[in-house]
Amino acid sequence: MRVMETKNYQELSALAADLIGAQLLLKPRCVLGLATGSTPIGAYQRLVEGYRAGRLDFSQVRTVNLDEYCGLSGEHPQSYRYFMEQHLFSQVNILRENTHLPNGAAPDPEEESRRYEALVESMGGVDLQLLGIGRNGHIGFNEPGDSFPPVVHPVELTESTILANSRLFDRVEDVPTKAVTMGIGTILKARKILLLAGADKRAILEEALTGKVTPWVPASVLQLHGDVTVITCREG
Ligand code: F6R
């Protein structure tokens, strides 16, 4: 595991975009695993800048996101599809048919989970998976629990995750209570993993990287993966 520490969030974002950009240059038709949330926004901005400057080309890239809320269609402003459109897809030359997230509007989340796991598999697996980390150590929507979920699956969100995410909704009651997420097993199959953690996540990051590997700190499982890069920063 490589842990890189930058001075601040701007540098963290620039470094993350450099590593993702390098992946695009090395393998233009790569599969990128993407994350939503506050942390990767700066890296997405840098990737957009790289595209506008003519340094990056997304025309062959394929993407699979980690997760999506259940009950929100892709047009809903709080859906993760909408987030990806806003921060990356609509601003670069990626083909929409090459971008994938679980379908939040699917009537049967179990069936949607099976479809999404098979889709990731059929794409030949993920070359580079971008991750954030929750304050409770979650990755994707894999919350602390007594096992590591192996495959894509529906989850009931914990109270703390609903509260953390409510900052983006008008009212806490509007936050969906369910999501479909890649499992820990799905995430670990990625050939490379890039975990971004801002200064506010230093305590949980420390615990995940140096503590015991346990499903009660889901990100601790990354200690078992052979190619993980972590970027963190000293100040916001
Ligand atoms: C997002 C995701 C989550 C976030 C995590 C950190 O697709 O799966 O695990 O990465 O909740 O979120 P932020 O970056 O908002 O602190």
Side-chain angles (χ1 to χ4, degrees):
M1 184 175 302
R2 282 194 309 162
V3 182
M4 302 160 98
E5 190 185 72
T6 63
K7 185 168 178 295
N8 54 35
Y9 177 71
Q10 283 71 26
E11 288 182 12
L12 174 151
S13 301
L15 187 54
D18 282 350
L19 295 178
I20 299 166
Q23 174 66 57
L24 297 189
L25 294 172
L26 286 170
K27 186 176 174 188
R29 203 175 147 63
C30 64
V31 177
L32 288 183
L34 299 176
T36 58
S38 311
T39 315
I41 291 178
Y44 292 149
Q45 266 163 10
R46 293 292 188 136
L47 288 172
V48 169
E49 284 163 25
Y51 164 69
R52 290 197 181 134
R55 288 194 304 274
L56 296 176
D57 172 25
F58 290 80
S59 62
Q60 298 183 64
V61 174
R62 294 164 300 152
T63 66
V64 280
N65 265 76
L66 282 168
D67 42 22
E68 177 62 281
Y69 286 123
C70 291
L72 301 188
S73 79
E75 286 80 49
H76 191 289
Q78 302 309 340
S79 73
Y80 287 172
R81 159 65 71 181
Y82 193 95
F83 174 102
M84 291 310 304
E85 286 292 334
Q86 191 185 12
H87 293 288
L88 187 66
F89 299 160
S90 67
Q91 305 204 51
V92 297
N93 64 335
I94 199 164
L95 299 175
R96 278 315 173 284
E97 63 263 35
N98 287 343
T99 66
H100 306 280
L101 289 91
N103 176 7
D108 180 351
E110 293 282 354
E111 197 181 310
E112 176 56 12
S113 299
R114 286 191 288 277
R115 180 196 73 84
Y116 200 65
E117 179 76 24
L119 174 83
V120 177
E121 186 93 35
S122 74
M123 291 166 81
V126 173
D127 290 297
L128 176 64
Q129 177 67 56
L130 185 61
L131 295 178
I133 181 171
R135 280 175 197 283
N136 60 6
H138 73 216
I139 48 176
F141 270 128
N142 296 283
E143 305 286 359
D146 52 19
S147 67
F148 288 119
V151 292
V152 179
H153 60 288
V155 280
E156 297 287 340
L157 304 187
T158 62
E159 204 59 35
S160 70
T161 298
I162 292 173
L163 269 180
N165 293 2
S166 67
R167 68 189 191 278
L168 304 169
F169 289 79
D170 290 340
R171 301 173 315 160
V172 68
E173 303 82 65
D174 295 339
V175 185
T177 55
K178 253 191 179 184
V180 166
T181 180
M182 283 189 191
I184 293 291
T186 327
I187 293 171
L188 288 181
K189 277 193 216 155
R191 288 182 266 284
K192 281 180 267 181
I193 291 179
L194 176 58
L195 171 68
L196 307 182
D200 56 327
K201 304 284 176 52
R202 286 176 75 92
I204 187 65
L205 187 66
E206 171 90 22
E207 194 181 338
L209 302 187
T210 61
K212 202 167 107 185
V213 175
T214 163
W216 293 100
V217 182
S220 65
V221 80
L222 298 175
Q223 294 180 37
L224 305 180
H225 191 281
D227 194 343
V228 178
T229 303
V230 178
I231 312 180
T232 179
C233 58
R234 285 189 289 280
E235 51 194 68

